[in-house]
Amino acid sequence: MDLNFLLKKDFSDDRAWKRAFELALAVWRVSSFVPPRGTTEDASHFADMSKEMLKRKLRKLASDIISDLAPKTAFDGHPEEKSRIIFEAVRKIEALRAHLRLVQNLKLTKEINCQVLDKEYRLLKEELLREAVGIKDSSPSAQNDRKKESPAM
């Protein structure tokens, strides 16, 4: 399958992608509030490195989710591939939410920032899972399974 068309496609009409993009911008803004090296009471080098790694991981996960969702609309005719893309994004959303809880527990930014992002990513995950279930229900293999299950008349 030639995927060059992905380079020319505008994904902003995909509601989930647009939402993921806006959330990624928010993650980048919130993670910029993580204190820079040597500015906290615990000025140990290890603590500073850990905070910086956590900040980078949050940003990478948010960016990866956007990247994962970008080709989703291109696979409308391929339900198995579209489902795989969605479930990979969902896996990364859960990892990002775990990192947000860590940032919140370490009090590296305002608690409300992490709570709002966590809630919004949970809602995005639910939206994607609903879409994936719809894909699975309409896939040719699911239709064949339903035919097998329905009694013959």
Side-chain angles (χ1 to χ4, degrees):
M1 176 184 280
D2 182 21
L3 299 179
N4 286 330
F5 66 93
L6 290 174
L7 299 174
K8 300 174 188 153
K9 184 152 176 65
D10 176 15
F11 300 104
S12 60
D13 60 333
D14 180 352
R15 201 173 88 183
W17 183 88
K18 188 174 183 178
R19 189 173 188 174
F21 182 80
E22 290 168 356
L23 286 171
L25 291 176
V27 165
W28 278 72
R29 280 191 300 272
V30 167
S31 65
S32 70
F33 296 127
V34 172
R37 294 181 177 193
T39 59
T40 59
E41 294 168 10
D42 181 9
S44 73
H45 182 66
F46 178 73
D48 287 341
M49 284 180 36
S50 297
K51 291 172 191 169
E52 188 62 29
M53 288 179 1
L54 185 57
K55 177 179 176 176
R56 287 181 184 174
K57 185 65 175 179
L58 278 171
R59 290 177 170 188
K60 179 168 179 11
L61 285 167
S63 299
D64 285 352
I65 292 165
I66 297 169
S67 298
D68 286 350
L69 292 178
K72 179 175 68 76
T73 57
F75 290 104
D76 284 338
H78 302 80
E80 288 80 15
E81 183 61 19
K82 192 170 182 178
S83 288
R84 186 196 64 73
I85 289 168
I86 289 172
F87 286 117
E88 181 62 21
V90 166
R91 184 186 66 77
K92 288 179 181 170
I93 288 171
E94 281 306 310
L96 188 138
R97 289 180 70 210
H99 283 80
L100 284 170
R101 287 188 292 275
L102 184 57
V103 167
Q104 182 178 345
N105 290 338
L106 292 172
K107 299 183 185 340
L108 296 178
T109 188
K110 291 182 180 176
E111 188 174 351
I112 190 71
N113 292 334
C114 293
Q115 290 171 344
V116 168
L117 282 170
D118 183 63
K119 176 187 171 199
E120 290 300 321
Y121 271 106
R122 179 182 52 80
L123 293 172
L124 175 61
K125 179 185 102 170
E126 290 170 1
E127 178 181 341
L128 289 170
L129 289 174
R130 280 192 303 274
E131 185 176 343
V133 169
I135 292 168
K136 289 191 177 289
D137 288 345
S138 64
S139 70
S141 59
Q143 291 172 357
N144 288 337
D145 291 344
R146 282 194 294 270
K147 286 178 186 176
K148 290 176 188 176
E149 292 172 1
S150 62
M153 291 190 181

